[in-house]
Amino acid sequence: MTQVKIAAVRTHVLSASIDAPFASSQRWDHSRSQLIVEITGENGVTGWGEAYGPPAILARIIDSTFIPLLVGEDALAIEAIWARLYDSLRDHGQRGVVIQAISAIDVALWDLKGKTLGVSVATLLGGPVRKRIRAYATGLYRRAIDRTENRRLLLDEAKGYLDSGMSAMKVKIGFGRDYDVEMVESLRQLLGPDIGLMADCNHGYDLTHARDVARRLESFDLGWLEEPVVPENLSAYARLRDATSIPIAGGESHFTRHGFLDILRLDAMEIVQPDICAAGGLTESKKIADLASAFGVRCVPHVWGTGIGIAAALHLIAVLPHTATGWDKQYEPMLEYDLTPHPFRQAILRQPLAVVDGMIQVPEAPGLGIEIDVAALETFRVRSDG
Ligand code: CA
């Protein structure tokens, strides 16, 4: 049986400041940062992964606890490695940063495995159901405190997405119910009826205000309402689903098949959005997607990272089963394509993952199908003082 022992694991913390900050309901973002993991096998093949989470903490967990468990192990035995890492911190880390750290390692192992065997990750995951994927623009964050100025900026931004061929986009709300209704109404007016529009609260409301804003947004044909309330309160999600016709979505703050089973059992969400680089990597996200499929729930992964995370999402989305048959099979899962400022999102790739006319190709080269520009990685590396 083929074996590839892990020779080395390296963490890279990258960061870059951005000129124009933008806000979700939780905070203003002034910089972008990311934890990247590089795993090299004894065969000389390197796999790349990344985590969605606080990079310095994640690097610490991997460097101190996971690297000693990885070196010398068979890189192709991904299930066994996943269980070994999870078991090592099960009593202390069933969600959050521990699972995010495992996610980065897991994605890197799938990349290494695909490159070693000469096939794409989508092929390893079961083979593609689709080779091109519709992208939706994630943007339309709050950009100015003054509401008139902010509205002008966001409508210009939305026009830009339309001009570039995007057929769906997502706006940040959760800035007060009147702001939310005014912004969604203005955007729907600009976009017309045929462009997909979704809204994301970043869990900025409690159930009472979430229910009110959802009802007031019902006439604007939203594709979904994302993270209306805090992720811990699944019964509030379930109650909100009963109270509004807008599909309720969430999942970027949930982890592993166990966390998603709770969501599905409670009928808490109509669309689940696991982040492959946070929920447990490709290994666990495939299980989450399969669970969702069994419950008849759509899976649209959350993506907030570099080209590594985008590529990982493309390979998983490629293999997602249809949630309906027959005429309505035209529903296809989408890629979350972040278009907010991010200096190294695509700069660390030798060839960017481009969206053309709102669609993006699943990479066909072995592994994740991307090549990392190591010089660019060095440019954005955070220097450690030891
Ligand atoms: Ca979100």
Side-chain angles (χ1 to χ4, degrees), residues 24 52 136 138 141 170 172 199-203 224 226-227 250-253 273 302-304 336:
S24 70
Y52 165 58
Y136 78 82
T138 275
Y141 281 64
K170 189 166 79 186
K172 292 293 178 180
D200 185 357
C201 296
N202 291 90
H203 52 73
W224 67 68
E226 180 169 323
E227 284 203 302
E252 70 188 77
S253 311
Q273 301 167 308
H302 173 261
V303 185
W304 180 258
E336 175 165 20

Side-chain angles (χ1 to χ4, degrees), residues 77-238:
I78 300 179
E79 280 287 338
I81 289 177
W82 200 100
R84 186 175 165 88
L85 300 182
Y86 185 81
D87 289 350
S88 73
L89 287 173
R90 164 180 272 121
D91 294 0
H92 318 284
Q94 294 158 16
R95 59 184 85 157
V97 289
V98 169
I99 307 301
Q100 291 165 347
I102 293 175
S103 302
I105 292 163
D106 182 85
V107 170
L109 290 173
W110 280 91
D111 187 32
L112 194 160
K113 186 179 205 168
K115 285 172 177 166
T116 297
L117 301 178
V119 293
S120 75
V121 167
T123 300
L124 291 177
L125 288 170
V129 175
R130 55 190 69 77
K131 294 184 173 177
R132 287 175 81 230
I133 292 166
R134 184 184 177 204
Y136 78 82
T138 275
L140 306 171
Y141 281 64
R142 187 159 190 167
R143 291 164 59 192
I145 295 291
D146 179 77
R147 277 189 23 192
T148 310
E149 169 67 358
N150 184 68
R151 186 168 164 278
R152 189 186 65 74
L153 287 168
L154 266 60
L155 290 177
D156 271 1
E157 186 183 336
K159 270 186 215 140
Y161 297 148
L162 275 184
D163 292 346
S164 73
M166 301 300 287
S167 62
M169 60 192 78
K170 189 166 79 186
V171 60
K172 292 293 178 180
I173 60 170
F175 299 103
R177 290 165 290 161
D178 291 340
Y179 171 101
D180 295 356
V181 174
E182 182 194 344
M183 189 53 65
V184 170
E185 184 173 23
S186 304
L187 283 166
R188 181 48 84 201
Q189 250 169 23
L190 172 81
L191 301 176
D194 296 331
I195 298 293
L197 178 63
M198 294 78 76
D200 185 357
C201 296
N202 291 90
H203 52 73
Y205 287 118
D206 65 7
L207 176 60
T208 308
H209 277 185
R211 189 164 42 209
D212 179 56
V213 82
R215 283 178 178 157
R216 290 168 63 186
L217 292 175
E218 277 175 3
S219 54
F220 304 119
D221 193 24
L222 287 177
W224 67 68
L225 184 63
E226 180 169 323
E227 284 203 302
V229 295
V230 291
E232 299 90 329
N233 195 349
L234 289 181
S235 65
Y237 277 83

